[in-house]
Amino acid sequence: METRDSPATPLPYSYTPLPAADAASGEVSGTGAPRGRRGRPVLSAAVVLFGALLLAVAVLRLAGAPPMEAMEARDPLVQEAASRGPEAGVSEKTSGAGAGGGRLGAAGGGDNAFPWSNAMLQWQRTGFHFQPEKNWMNDPNGPVYYKGWYHLFYQYNPDGAVWGNKIAWGHAVSRDLIHWRHLPLAMVPDQWYDVNGVWTGSATTLPDGRIAMLYTGSTNESVQVQCLAVPSDPSDPLLTNWTKYDGNPVLYPPPAIGPKDFRDPTTAWFDPADKTWRIVIGSKDEHHAGVAVTYRTKDLINFELLPGHLHRVEGTGMWECIDFYPVGTRGRGAGNGIDMSAAMSKNGVVGDVVHVMKASMDDDRHDYYALGRYDAAANAWTPLDAENDVGIGLRYDWGKFYASKTFYDPAKRRRVLWGWVGETDSERADVAKGWASLQSLPRTVLFDTKTGSNLLQWPVEEVETLRKNSTDLSGITIDYGSVFPLNLHRATQLDILAEFEVDKHAVMALNEADVGYNCSTSGGAAHRGALGPFGLLVLADRHRREQTAVYFYVAKGLDGGLTTHFCQDESRSSSANDIVKRVVGSAVPVLDGENLAVRVLVDHSIVESFAQGGRSTATSRVYPTEAIYANAGVYLFNNATAARVTAKKLVVHEMDSSYNQDYMAEL
């Protein structure tokens, strides 16, 4: 049990930031007070070193050695450690792939580095996805609705376009989740308990309307602790300034958890049975099982660790960025979001709900979720389907999507999901363009009442306000082995809605079974089967040397049943060879009478796709070199060998940009 003596003063608290030099060095005392300043000794040492360097250069010149400016120039990023995360106890914050499954880091592929032009790099910046004006961004943090404004905080490196150990909280506000106004940094690493990073956290709205933020701090010894912060001025709807509790940290790693395996607290919910607030934190045990532990508190300062685990899954490793929330299974609740506290009563969970447990898997950097039953009295969550438990079954997204976070939006009674969409190019390219990473489009999350086995994700309705110049191309039939170009004005910012129907006679006449298909390992859109693949080629040049395929593949089993796969093929998305290109996707449930439906949102270097109303989603980062600006196009394709396909519905909306704005104090 982890507790602290209660302070005499109620929230909020104030704190004194560390001097910049001490904050950067991490040399602080256990109380957070800075140690003695060392400016003059450091300055003297710098002068001595500089003089020694000049002397060494002179000696080298006299000895006939090549001068320093003639030596091989080395990118300073290349000399950094290959890993920018695990040594500090966090996930690798890079593209995550390279030769032999390593990483594409600063070297950018070495001799194979693609010569990106400024025009290519400028094109990659999105028009209607959230991203900061410059530099590195990762996890979404503490999304919340407050006094008429949506707030998004996020992990941010103010010093460059790569992840660093001085991560701060970026901050932006919006009236509609689409048009954003950037605000000053909300919190920076300036105390001993977060000097190595103000890491991921969550917002909790208290009964009186105040906001409390719990977040993970990385201490001067790189120990992960939980900290509390509150708005400095609760009357400020923009929440511009934040105050850290002067008794931080409020939670230390418990004995059974490693000092670098204790991070990312959830939003707190109120349990009226014992009149306490509860939070969940993810970790792993000594057997490499992923675990979720629960704490309860009455004041968000003094915490008690509840016995056992809320949940545990063998072999899944570290669980980051836990999320835990209810979804309605029938009636009015099935069409709206549900606040976690509203689903609790003195007798436990109320209403027709199941609880979603989601964890971001540090081992493979994907977001997995499962549906289950929550027993608050027993501190236990049990999956509805053990074969689809957390970390081994369902994913939020089969592409590039990680460290996600939901929040309950009281203004529209919905649950909204954000996800970090990182880069899959080289760090050298990121440094050249000056920024890295996006946030996904905000998505609503509902229980799929038709299947009863999965969630539905869909872009928030506000996205549709950006639509313009719509083109209806419904009714096109594509013969097998065919490609059909779509006549569009532009093709780099699109919202495409399509429904496909496979020739029923061809399906009935097919006698050959097609088993074992897998999106990732079966050859992508180039692999031909009797009933697929078919769908859309987006960001394709006129010769289709570059293209990103979004498609269905229907396979007939030995018993005559059909299995539908929804896939996204990045393998031909770019001519550049120093980027990650994969084929992602999974089987998707298709019920009797349903057409094969997909929504594809194209926004320059990101493609987000939603199949069957959001039962399956796939997000790709793509970096074309030719299919950019006016050279980008869209095609229908049918690479099946035995069946025609009709696009019963095909509506293409061009999308306006959201034109995010800088901070203005007079707002």
Side-chain angles (χ1 to χ4, degrees):
M1 183 173 71
E2 201 69 51
T3 61
R4 298 184 59 89
D5 293 333
S6 298
T9 309
L11 293 175
Y13 297 83
S14 61
Y15 73 103
T16 303
L18 290 174
D22 290 338
S25 69
E27 295 183 355
V28 293
S29 70
T31 63
R35 292 179 179 174
R37 296 198 176 194
R38 304 172 60 193
R40 290 181 179 177
V42 170
L43 179 60
S44 301
V47 171
V48 172
L49 287 173
F50 184 70
L53 180 62
L54 291 177
L55 180 60
V57 171
V59 170
L60 284 172
R61 288 184 183 274
L62 291 173
M68 292 184 69
E69 62 268 23
M71 294 181 183
E72 178 183 359
R74 295 188 62 189
D75 188 332
L77 284 174
V78 177
Q79 302 176 54
E80 294 185 10
S83 174
R84 285 181 165 79
E87 77 282 1
V90 291
S91 292
E92 183 69 78
K93 305 293 185 182
T94 67
S95 64
R103 58 184 283 278
L104 284 174
D111 294 337
N112 293 322
F114 188 81
W116 297 98
S117 69
N118 286 335
M120 294 175 187
L121 295 176
Q122 289 171 5
W123 178 88
Q124 293 174 15
R125 191 165 180 88
T126 60
F128 55 89
H129 281 74
F130 179 83
Q131 60 185 123
E133 298 169 290
K134 61 181 181 179
N135 297 339
W136 168 273
M137 172 178 66
N138 53 287
D139 308 6
N141 295 158
V144 68
Y145 182 81
Y146 188 72
K147 294 185 182 295
W149 292 89
Y150 293 102
H151 291 257
L152 177 63
F153 304 87
Y154 52 92
Q155 298 283 276
Y156 180 70
N157 181 7
D159 295 331
V162 298
W163 190 79
N165 64 349
K166 300 298 176 186
I167 293 296
W169 272 32
H171 184 195
V173 293
S174 172
R175 291 287 195 184
D176 61 3
L177 291 172
I178 302 299
H179 301 86
W180 292 90
R181 188 178 297 274
H182 298 289
L183 298 182
L185 296 181
M187 289 190 284
V188 297
D190 58 7
Q191 296 293 293
W192 71 268
Y193 51 77
D194 61 13
V195 72
N196 278 316
V198 180
W199 288 353
T200 294
S202 300
T204 298
T205 303
L206 303 175
D208 61 3
R210 290 183 302 157
I211 301 294
M213 199 74 74
L214 289 171
Y215 70 93
T216 298
S218 180
T219 73
N220 54 327
E221 298 294 335
S222 293
V223 176
Q224 294 169 13
V225 296
Q226 311 314 314
C227 308
L228 173 66
V230 296
S232 302
D233 179 7
S235 67
D236 174 16
L238 300 185
L239 300 176
T240 309
N241 297 305
W242 287 79
T243 296
K244 297 176 184 177
Y245 167 46
D246 62 1
N248 277 335
V250 295
L251 271 175
Y252 294 85
I257 288 178
K260 296 183 179 180
D261 302 323
F262 185 61
R263 56 186 177 271
D264 313 332
T266 65
T267 294
W269 71 92
F270 188 75
D271 187 340
D274 58 7
K275 298 182 180 179
T276 64
W277 294 87
R278 299 193 182 193
I279 65 167
V280 178
I281 298 176
S283 187
K284 64 181 177 181
D285 65 18
E286 66 274 16
H287 304 293
H288 202 67
V291 299
V293 297
T294 309
Y295 286 87
R296 65 183 175 188
T297 177
K298 291 189 174 182
D299 55 10
L300 299 181
I301 298 172
N302 303 283
F303 287 83
E304 176 188 357
L305 176 63
L306 297 184
H309 298 124
L310 180 64
H311 196 52
R312 178 181 184 274
V313 181
E314 289 279 358
T316 53
M318 177 68 197
W319 288 6
E320 297 190 293
C321 302
I322 290 274
D323 209 355
F324 190 54
Y325 58 90
V327 288
T329 57
R330 64 179 182 177
R332 183 179 300 176
N336 297 311
I338 300 175
D339 180 71
M340 184 70 172
S341 296
M344 303 299 299
S345 75
K346 292 182 179 180
N347 298 316
V349 175
V350 296
D352 297 310
V353 303
V354 295
H355 279 75
V356 178
M357 181 173 287
K358 165 262 164 181
S360 301
M361 296 297 156
D362 197 20
D363 283 1
D364 69 7
R365 276 171 285 160
H366 293 297
D367 278 18
Y368 292 81
Y369 77 90
L371 305 172
R373 300 290 182 188
Y374 173 46
D375 184 339
N379 183 39
W381 176 89
T382 306
L384 299 180
D385 178 3
E387 293 185 358
N388 279 316
D389 207 342
V390 181
I392 61 175
L394 301 171
R395 294 186 194 172
Y396 271 166
D397 193 293
W398 293 89
K400 190 70 173 176
F401 186 95
Y402 191 65
S404 58
K405 176 64 183 172
T406 68
F407 75 102
Y408 176 70
D409 173 10
K412 293 198 171 183
R413 299 175 61 193
R414 58 186 174 180
R415 183 158 293 273
V416 178
L417 168 68
W418 288 99
W420 167 40
V421 183
E423 303 294 329
T424 57
D425 61 352
S426 69
E427 283 189 353
R428 173 171 286 149
D430 296 341
V431 171
K433 66 190 179 189
W435 58 271
S437 301
L438 310 170
Q439 297 296 334
S440 69
L441 288 174
R443 307 171 179 183
T444 56
V445 180
L446 293 171
F447 178 74
D448 188 346
T449 57
K450 293 181 179 179
T451 65
S453 60
N454 55 267
L455 296 174
L456 297 174
Q457 300 172 56
W458 200 248
V460 295
E461 61 185 4
E462 290 89 340
V463 170
E464 298 171 20
T465 64
L466 298 175
R467 290 174 175 173
K468 62 179 187 178
N469 298 334
S470 301
T471 304
D472 192 335
L473 299 166
S474 303
I476 299 173
T477 296
I478 326 161
D479 203 356
Y480 46 87
S482 299
V483 178
F484 185 88
L486 304 186
N487 185 18
L488 303 174
H489 176 64
R490 64 170 188 167
T492 57
Q493 292 182 203
L494 300 174
D495 186 355
I496 306 172
L497 295 160
E499 292 185 14
F500 298 99
E501 184 180 67
V502 182
D503 184 347
K504 296 178 181 178
H505 298 291
V507 174
M508 293 178 63
L510 184 63
N511 295 318
E512 181 180 349
D514 185 356
V515 296
Y517 186 83
N518 181 287
C519 289
S520 299
T521 61
S522 296
H527 172 83
R528 303 189 68 184
L531 304 178
F534 57 87
L536 293 155
L537 304 177
V538 299
L539 296 175
D541 67 282
R542 63 189 181 93
H543 301 293
R544 298 191 303 282
R545 286 189 293 259
E546 291 183 333
Q547 56 181 259
T548 298
V550 184
Y551 65 91
F552 292 99
Y553 185 101
V554 181
K556 196 167 190 177
L558 295 171
D559 61 356
L562 300 178
T563 300
T564 301
H565 301 265
F566 172 65
C567 315
Q568 200 147 284
D569 185 353
E570 308 160 0
S571 62
R572 297 174 66 188
S573 62
S574 175
S575 300
N577 54 6
D578 58 348
I579 61 177
V580 181
K581 291 176 277 190
R582 308 167 299 169
V583 185
V584 299
S586 69
V588 58
V590 179
L591 305 183
D592 290 342
E594 291 183 342
N595 288 327
L596 303 183
V598 64
R599 182 178 181 183
V600 184
L601 289 115
V602 179
D603 189 7
H604 295 261
S605 60
I606 183 172
V607 179
E608 285 189 78
S609 301
F610 303 80
Q612 299 309 109
R615 287 180 192 145
S616 183
T617 70
T619 298
S620 295
R621 296 302 308 278
V622 293
Y623 308 90
T625 64
E626 300 175 54
I628 58 178
Y629 299 105
N631 294 326
V634 179
Y635 297 79
L636 284 174
F637 82 99
N638 178 10
N639 211 20
T641 61
R644 294 181 177 181
V645 175
T646 299
K648 302 288 287 185
K649 177 180 180 179
L650 180 58
V651 179
V652 182
H653 306 277
E654 293 182 16
M655 296 289 280
D656 201 357
S657 294
S658 55
Y659 303 109
N660 297 332
Q661 300 177 12
D662 295 335
Y663 171 66
M664 296 177 62
E666 62 270 18
L667 247 185

